[in-house]
Amino acid sequence: MSDTPTHSPAVTGDHAAAGHGHGDDHANLAKHVRIYLIIGGILIFMTGVTIAVAYLPWFDFGDKHINIAFGLLIASFKVSLVCLIFMHLRHERGLIYKVMLFAMIFFAAMMFLFCLAYMDPIQDSFLKT
Amino acid sequence: MQIPYEVTARPDTGLYNAKVGIWLFLASEVMLFGGLFSSYVFLRLGADFPWPFHELIVWPGFVNTMVLIASSVSVVAAWASLKARRYGWYQFNMIFTIACAAVFMCLKAYEYYGKFTHYSLKFTDGSVISGHPLHDPKDAPGTTHGDHIVFGEVKSIVFDLEKSNLDFLDGRRVKKDGAPYAMPGEDDELKFKTPTGADVTLTKSWLKEKHRAFMDARADLRDEVTALELKKPSPPHPTRDDAATKAEKDDKIAAISAGIERANAAFLEEGKQKDLTATLKLDVVGDPLVFLVKENTTMRYGAAELSYRENTVLQGKLITDAIQFNVDLIDLRQAKDHDKSLVWKHLPELKQKFTSYRDAQLKEFSEKRPKVKEPEKDEDAQRDAYRVVFDDNKEKFLSHDEAHEYLHDTKRTISVPRAEKRFYSNFSPSLSPYYAIYFLMTGLHGLHVVGGAIVLSWFLFTGRKMYLSNPEHLANRVEVGGLFWHFVDLVWIFLFPLYYLM
């Protein structure tokens, strides 16, 4: 059986990886894969940096919370790259941004939900006991 | 039925339907994992124990991060290959992605296995050691019993005919070829004498038969007693009933009550004759028995009796309840007095070494961070100085060979009586809230990896027909699967530093 589809390439959506001709398709494919590989390389490099920040004495700032903040910052940068490049959030439709904005608001709210533990009007907060 | 807008974009959203669906699903996933990350922060800030920091081995997590990043590249490349109508490249990238998922799960299984076979023991004074209970050493099988209670010289076993089962027999051991706690052979029979003097071979079918007979007899008794109770007149009324009626009623009630007592007595007497009492004591015929018992299967135990949770009672002698343990770490962060720690009762030769190590570490910390006035109270200093890993890469406390000896040689096995134990567990969710949330989040993430790999495999192995008829449809499917896969990667990008590095 041949691997040639009956339909010609139908590029739909707003983030097509390929162009309109087979030659263009292949060139675009190579270009896109190269970008993906570069981003993958950056992600792996940044993972190495995260480990270095956590373990190497050069990054001993005298307070591990600074290292934690650095680690989270790098993780956020990596997540941004994955979202923008791999998940194509650079150029998506408005509906998706709205849905994700809604989710991110909930995410942020949940990240601060534990603060309710400080809101005990009778006793001191659990951190002080 | 044809589902609309599988390939082309819907005019109002500008997107094909599956894409809207996957983004809605991912939004719900963000909220799910957001809740779990929030729980992590809550547990960490409120921990009343030293939070495990830099305790997980980093390399499996790091390799898994690289594996997931590589798979993220390959899954998006697979989609791009379909867009360019390069089916061969698509297949290659999908196979690579699925292989990455398999590698990820294998490494995760390796990590989990390590945790489930590694134990921590907290003494009553707060000192902690970790390592593993001794299992049968290769050079002397059956000579040790790790973390089991050894209950021997068992001459009688008392069964609860309603609740007992024979699961406890799995712990039975015999002397064989010089090994005191060898597994009995499959044809090894257990002979007992019942209270009536009957000889019994203890089997599951025998116990089941006894259980049924006892339950039937008890049901018959209950029927009989219920029938008699129903015949009882109402109690005599103090004002409405005259004296004669009262006397008649009293007589009748007394007669029926006597009947009930007789029925109960007959049940008990008949039970004794047929060995159908609620608790049936069987005496061992021949040599007394020995059992290795897991603590969590017992209700209580003492010098002469051990009760299982399912009510079976062994009557014999407690040989030992000590935990035989090989140590690879000492942690005195929660011990009140390091010099009097219970650890030194079992590892006295390490006390001086520990003191020197601790003082040197505190001094080093003070030099490194002169701003910290009381390093003894600083969390980081405590972790460096009060917690010693035997097999440290830098061999700061023990040499590699010494550490190996402490962990693997029976000469170094310590014996901790259970009375000295406050808590004992493997590195499973029961050990601490840290491990509970670690297993919850990494386990849930692992399930996502497996689920994603199954979906991508489905696209790979069944996609050719769709590719030939409608390649754009397959490309859209792979894009949707890929979006989920990237989300799995995103979660790991946060999980890795949080658990392994921070």
Side-chain angles (χ1 to χ4, degrees):
Chain A
M1 188 186 273
S2 158
D3 276 349
T4 310
T6 53
H7 290 198
S8 61
V11 182
T12 56
D14 45 2
H15 49 72
H20 291 278
H22 275 290
D24 288 349
D25 291 346
H26 296 173
N28 272 338
L29 172 64
K31 186 181 142 201
H32 279 86
V33 169
R34 199 164 50 245
I35 292 170
Y36 298 145
L37 284 171
I38 291 168
I39 297 299
I42 293 171
L43 291 173
I44 289 172
F45 173 74
M46 295 311 288
T47 307
V49 174
T50 318
I51 294 173
V53 167
Y55 275 93
L56 290 188
W58 299 337
F59 297 98
D60 189 349
F61 304 108
D63 183 353
K64 74 176 178 208
H65 296 100
I66 298 175
N67 298 62
I68 292 174
F70 261 113
L72 288 176
L73 213 64
I74 296 169
S76 305
F77 173 69
K78 286 163 69 185
V79 164
S80 310
L81 281 184
V82 173
C83 288
L84 293 174
I85 312 293
F86 290 165
M87 298 173 90
H88 310 121
L89 276 181
R90 272 179 308 167
H91 34 56
E92 262 306 349
R93 292 284 173 177
L95 176 68
I96 288 174
Y97 292 132
K98 284 174 197 159
V99 168
M100 289 320 286
L101 180 71
F102 179 74
M104 290 316 292
I105 289 169
F106 267 79
F107 179 83
M110 273 185 284
M111 288 311 291
F112 289 99
L113 260 186
F114 64 85
C115 294
L116 293 178
Y118 297 86
M119 306 277 282
D120 190 330
I122 298 169
Q123 292 185 6
D124 271 353
S125 79
F126 75 114
L127 284 177
K128 288 178 192 165
T129 51
Chain B
M1 189 185 79
Q2 179 64 38
I3 300 170
Y5 305 111
E6 284 180 309
V7 179
T8 54
R10 216 176 110 126
D12 53 351
T13 62
L15 299 159
Y16 58 91
N17 281 350
K19 197 163 181 179
V20 178
I22 192 70
W23 276 108
L24 285 171
F25 175 67
L26 292 184
S28 73
E29 289 277 89
V30 166
M31 291 186 262
L32 169 67
F33 278 96
L36 292 173
F37 279 112
S38 175
S39 308
Y40 170 90
V41 176
F42 177 77
L43 289 173
R44 184 163 181 164
L45 290 183
D48 58 354
F49 58 95
W51 189 258
F53 180 76
H54 284 189
E55 284 185 20
L56 296 183
I57 303 169
V58 174
W59 76 261
F62 178 57
V63 173
N64 265 347
T65 307
M66 291 199 294
V67 164
L68 275 192
I69 290 170
S71 71
S72 261
V73 172
S74 60
V75 81
V76 74
W79 166 77
S81 305
L82 277 180
K83 282 287 194 183
R85 305 296 183 258
R86 297 281 297 270
Y87 195 73
W89 271 108
Y90 157 73
Q91 283 178 307
F92 171 79
N93 280 304
M94 287 295 262
I95 289 168
F96 182 81
T97 307
I98 293 157
C100 284
V103 171
F104 183 92
M105 290 313 293
C106 286
L107 267 174
K108 192 95 325 250
Y110 165 79
E111 280 188 89
Y112 277 20
Y113 176 77
K115 284 174 181 53
F116 280 105
T117 52
H118 193 205
Y119 286 71
S120 182
L121 191 153
K122 189 171 192 176
F123 289 91
T124 44
D125 68 349
S127 309
V128 173
I129 54 173
S130 78
H132 61 69
L134 190 64
H135 296 300
D136 287 353
K138 281 175 190 162
D139 54 340
T143 54
T144 54
H145 44 78
D147 53 4
H148 288 87
I149 295 163
V150 185
F151 201 81
E153 294 184 26
V154 175
K155 291 178 183 158
S156 307
I157 300 178
V158 182
F159 286 96
D160 179 329
L161 280 189
E162 191 181 344
K163 293 174 183 166
S164 283
N165 59 48
L166 295 184
D167 290 350
F168 73 96
L169 287 181
D170 293 344
R172 193 181 146 234
R173 294 293 183 270
V174 292
K175 276 187 186 171
K176 202 190 275 180
D177 305 329
Y181 304 120
M183 292 285 284
E186 279 182 16
D187 54 348
D188 193 52
E189 288 186 336
L190 281 174
K191 302 276 191 193
F192 289 91
K193 247 192 195 343
T194 67
T196 58
D199 290 317
V200 165
T201 303
L202 188 61
T203 60
K204 276 188 179 171
S205 59
W206 178 84
L207 188 62
K208 205 169 178 180
E209 200 177 293
K210 278 284 169 198
H211 167 80
R212 261 189 210 153
F214 174 73
M215 297 303 274
D216 287 349
R218 212 173 60 172
D220 291 346
L221 171 70
R222 199 159 41 227
D223 290 347
E224 193 181 341
V225 169
T226 308
L228 287 169
E229 288 281 3
L230 288 171
K231 283 180 189 165
K232 267 188 185 172
S234 57
H237 195 276
T239 52
R240 281 204 294 269
D241 290 337
D242 57 25
T245 312
K246 277 182 186 170
E248 190 187 338
K249 277 187 174 180
D250 281 338
D251 289 348
K252 208 168 178 182
I253 288 170
I256 289 172
S257 297
I260 290 171
E261 271 175 38
R262 275 197 303 276
N264 277 320
F267 169 75
L268 291 175
E269 188 55 36
E270 203 176 327
K272 277 182 191 166
Q273 285 167 15
K274 293 181 179 174
D275 292 324
L276 288 176
T277 45
T279 54
L280 180 64
K281 184 176 172 183
L282 299 183
D283 294 324
V284 178
V285 175
D287 292 337
L289 307 176
V290 178
F291 292 87
L292 301 188
V293 185
K294 285 184 183 171
E295 190 182 3
N296 64 4
T297 64
T298 64
M299 184 75 86
R300 60 182 167 271
Y301 65 90
E305 210 169 76
L306 182 145
S307 305
Y308 287 95
R309 282 177 187 265
E310 34 86 353
N311 277 5
T312 306
V313 178
L314 304 179
Q315 291 179 338
K317 185 183 170 191
L318 177 67
I319 308 291
T320 177
D321 69 345
I323 298 169
Q324 313 289 314
F325 205 74
N326 276 71
V327 182
D328 65 2
L329 175 144
I330 298 171
D331 185 348
L332 300 189
R333 282 179 289 179
Q334 295 176 82
K336 280 179 188 160
D337 187 345
H338 290 180
D339 292 335
K340 290 180 186 167
S341 165
L342 283 169
V343 172
W344 311 132
K345 189 178 155 193
H346 303 284
L347 296 166
E349 73 280 8
L350 293 181
K351 185 177 176 182
Q352 187 54 45
K353 215 176 174 69
F354 174 85
T355 309
S356 309
Y357 173 88
R358 180 194 62 194
D359 295 345
Q361 288 295 114
L362 286 175
K363 195 178 163 201
E364 193 182 318
F365 186 87
S366 297
E367 286 166 3
K368 216 161 57 176
R369 297 197 190 156
K371 284 183 186 171
V372 180
K373 297 289 177 219
E374 293 180 293
E376 297 83 7
K377 290 181 182 170
D378 184 86
E379 195 182 291
D380 294 339
Q382 286 182 351
R383 194 185 59 251
D384 291 348
Y386 302 167
R387 178 179 175 273
V388 286
V389 182
F390 285 13
D391 199 5
D392 181 49
N393 283 340
K394 294 173 185 165
E395 302 193 357
K396 275 183 175 174
F397 185 66
L398 291 177
S399 70
H400 179 71
D401 289 342
E402 285 173 318
H404 187 269
E405 191 180 294
Y406 271 98
L407 188 58
H408 298 290
D409 200 326
T410 49
K411 276 191 302 190
R412 295 294 188 186
T413 303
I414 62 170
S415 187
V416 182
R418 265 164 227 261
E420 289 179 9
K421 177 208 78 173
R422 185 186 295 170
F423 187 71
Y424 172 64
S425 163
N426 55 1
F427 282 70
S428 59
S430 64
L431 183 61
S432 71
Y434 170 81
Y435 283 99
I437 192 88
Y438 164 82
F439 277 103
L440 176 65
M441 293 187 78
T442 57
L444 186 64
H445 177 265
L447 286 176
H448 278 67
V449 172
V450 173
I454 290 171
V455 171
L456 295 180
S457 302
W458 176 259
F459 295 157
L460 173 66
F461 295 118
T462 65
R464 182 182 288 268
K465 196 175 165 191
M466 183 180 281
Y467 176 74
L468 292 172
S469 60
N470 192 348
E472 200 57 23
H473 191 182
L474 182 62
N476 286 352
R477 280 191 172 187
V478 171
E479 186 185 16
V480 164
L483 284 170
F484 175 76
W485 195 255
H486 296 311
F487 177 77
V488 171
D489 189 18
L490 290 188
V491 173
W492 185 255
I493 284 174
F494 277 118
L495 281 184
F496 172 62
L498 277 184
Y499 283 103
Y500 293 79
L501 307 177
M502 295 174 182

